[in-house]
Amino acid sequence: MSNTLQFVGFIGSQDGSETRPGSGPIIDRDYIGTVARAQEYAGFDRVLIAHSSASPDGFQIAAYAVQQTERLKILLAHRPGFVAPTLAARQLASLDQFSQGRLAVHIISGGSDEEQQRDGDFLNKTERYARTDDYLDVVRKVWTSTAPFDHDGPYYKSRGSQSYVKPVNGTLPIYFGGSSDEAIAVAGRHADVYALWGEPLDDVRETIAKVRAAAALHGRQDHVQFSLSLRPILGRTEEEAWAKADRILEQAKQLRATQSTFRPVRAGEPQNVGSQRLLAAAAAGKVRDKRLWTEIAALTGALGNSTSLVGTPEQVTESLLDYYDLGVRTFLIRGFDPLVDAIEYGRDLIPLVRQAVVAREAGQGATTAVAAE
């Protein structure tokens, strides 16, 4: 995989967020096409298509988004355990062929027993990660084997498995989510890109070290890359950006008070370690580091990408570079007004960050050359 800077956006099946109720049909083709094309034009490299136990099928949304764009790549969230890995490998490879090599897969083993059980999965979290490990072994074999193979794993067994369809580039990039010790162990073995939520710098540094140590057990410490997910809030001035954050928080509170689909955040929740870490960060302060804003995470129980960098484009760029210096090369950014914010990011943020990274890398190269003389 390339070690260059990457920006990943987001495609939902309809226009909505924590601050605005979903509008239009649950599968809004016009919106999906519009937001996909907008992010392609805005300079995003890839877009995430998420997964939940109640959401529309991501494979179908991905196929439609590919048809609506020319260059935009797809990051398809996928939960092991609901289809056989041999079938999943062929489905993913087929979609990659139709997209002409634009697909990556984001493996999420599932952090909530309650949600997993809605689809009939009653394994506990430790077992789910063990199953994911076995699942990905099979998927890789399907993609790379040139002859039929047998597999005898703890969760999956097959005889004479083969696939006539392969990914365009021989395999697909595997992004991996999960912050527990079990997750990090599996990520060390399988992840091409390990995905973190937007935590304070010290916490990100700690997790990156853990993942690299886990990868080193398999000789992959220099292979795994890192992605960070954030919700940037931009303003022409710092005061304007924070006023915008205040409005977003009030809108989110009002929506939660009026929409029955939002469950109250209860003590002891959530199960997944990633959300627990975000809530711990929020409990330590509404603003962490220079401008990492945690109040939406605290309000929503940190059940997803919910922390923000707040400030001018220049200030947010500076904070993103702090993460870049820790080893993050992919930034998954999406806004609370998804379409409008994606356009704003493409105009005001993404070019600024790319320019800053080029300047920084050029400066480091010059420093290295001088030191060598």
Side-chain angles (χ1 to χ4, degrees):
M1 288 194 59
S2 171
N3 195 38
T4 57
L5 179 68
Q6 301 278 307
F7 282 96
V8 179
F10 180 82
I11 293 180
S13 68
Q14 62 176 177
D15 187 11
S17 75
E18 296 89 339
T19 66
R20 47 198 286 147
S23 60
I26 187 63
I27 298 180
D28 188 334
R29 292 178 297 173
D30 290 340
Y31 171 76
I32 293 169
T34 299
V35 77
R37 290 189 295 272
Q39 289 176 95
E40 179 170 72
Y41 300 151
F44 284 85
D45 299 285
R46 196 180 290 278
V47 286
L48 171 68
I49 297 172
H51 175 93
S52 79
S53 61
S55 60
D57 178 49
F59 277 85
Q60 307 302 317
I61 296 172
Y64 186 75
V66 162
Q67 189 271 332
Q68 293 291 308
T69 55
E70 296 178 357
R71 303 174 306 279
L72 189 67
K73 297 179 181 180
I74 303 295
L75 177 57
L76 178 61
H78 178 68
R79 284 188 184 166
F82 299 108
V83 298
T86 49
L87 173 58
R90 298 197 305 276
Q91 290 174 322
L92 290 163
S94 298
L95 181 56
D96 189 56
Q97 287 287 338
F98 276 109
S99 75
Q100 297 181 306
R102 289 193 270 160
L103 186 64
V105 60
H106 184 33
I107 298 296
I108 305 173
S109 299
S112 164
D113 292 347
E114 180 181 353
E115 190 184 14
Q116 294 293 119
Q117 290 168 9
R118 292 175 191 149
D119 276 331
D121 180 19
F122 287 84
L123 295 184
N124 63 39
K125 187 176 74 170
T126 298
E127 292 173 320
R128 288 196 295 271
Y129 280 109
R131 177 178 63 190
T132 294
D133 189 28
D134 196 22
Y135 190 93
L136 290 175
D137 277 343
V138 178
V139 167
R140 290 283 199 193
K141 287 180 182 178
V142 172
W143 288 340
T144 60
S145 293
T146 57
F149 67 87
D150 298 341
H151 180 81
D152 286 288
Y155 291 88
Y156 298 101
K157 299 183 187 302
S158 65
R159 295 289 179 270
S161 297
Q162 62 178 325
S163 174
Y164 299 136
V165 59
K166 306 288 187 182
V168 170
N169 297 309
T171 188
L172 297 183
I174 291 180
Y175 290 60
F176 197 92
S179 297
S180 66
D181 291 341
E182 300 98 328
I184 289 174
V186 179
R189 187 161 181 256
H190 292 285
D192 297 307
V193 181
Y194 178 83
L196 304 96
W197 282 337
E199 298 182 10
L201 290 164
D202 286 344
D203 295 342
V204 170
R205 182 184 293 107
E206 175 191 35
T207 299
I208 286 176
K210 286 183 178 179
V211 174
R212 283 180 171 154
L217 298 176
H218 308 282
R220 306 179 71 247
Q221 64 273 19
D222 296 325
H223 176 85
V224 64
Q225 297 178 31
F226 297 92
S227 170
L228 189 79
S229 299
L230 291 158
R231 313 288 289 273
I233 298 173
L234 306 180
R236 290 171 296 181
T237 65
E238 185 173 11
E239 293 75 17
E240 182 180 292
W242 282 109
K244 184 177 177 181
D246 289 340
R247 290 195 301 272
I248 286 170
L249 181 60
E250 288 306 310
Q251 291 166 356
K253 288 178 178 178
Q254 292 172 14
L255 185 61
R256 293 185 72 83
T258 58
Q259 295 288 313
S260 60
T261 54
F262 290 114
R263 295 189 300 115
V265 178
R266 299 190 295 266
E269 291 189 325
Q271 266 188 304
N272 65 304
V273 174
S275 294
Q276 292 170 13
R277 289 172 63 93
L278 283 191
L279 289 177
K286 296 178 181 179
V287 180
R288 304 294 308 278
D289 298 328
K290 298 172 184 176
R291 55 192 67 261
L292 181 68
W293 185 53
T294 67
E295 287 193 273
I296 293 293
L299 175 69
T300 61
L303 297 179
N305 174 13
S306 52
T307 52
S308 299
L309 293 176
V310 182
T312 65
E314 292 79 10
Q315 289 172 327
V316 171
T317 294
E318 180 185 18
S319 292
L320 289 174
L321 289 176
D322 289 339
Y323 290 109
Y324 183 89
D325 289 341
L326 297 181
V328 174
R329 293 295 179 268
T330 297
F331 293 102
L332 194 162
I333 56 173
R334 62 185 178 103
F336 295 97
D337 189 345
L339 177 57
V340 171
D341 288 343
I343 294 169
E344 182 182 45
Y345 297 156
R347 182 188 65 225
D348 298 333
L349 183 62
I350 292 175
L352 204 61
V353 180
R354 292 196 191 280
Q355 292 165 12
V357 166
V358 169
R360 176 163 297 199
E361 294 296 336
Q364 289 177 349
T367 300
T368 301
V370 170
E373 291 178 354

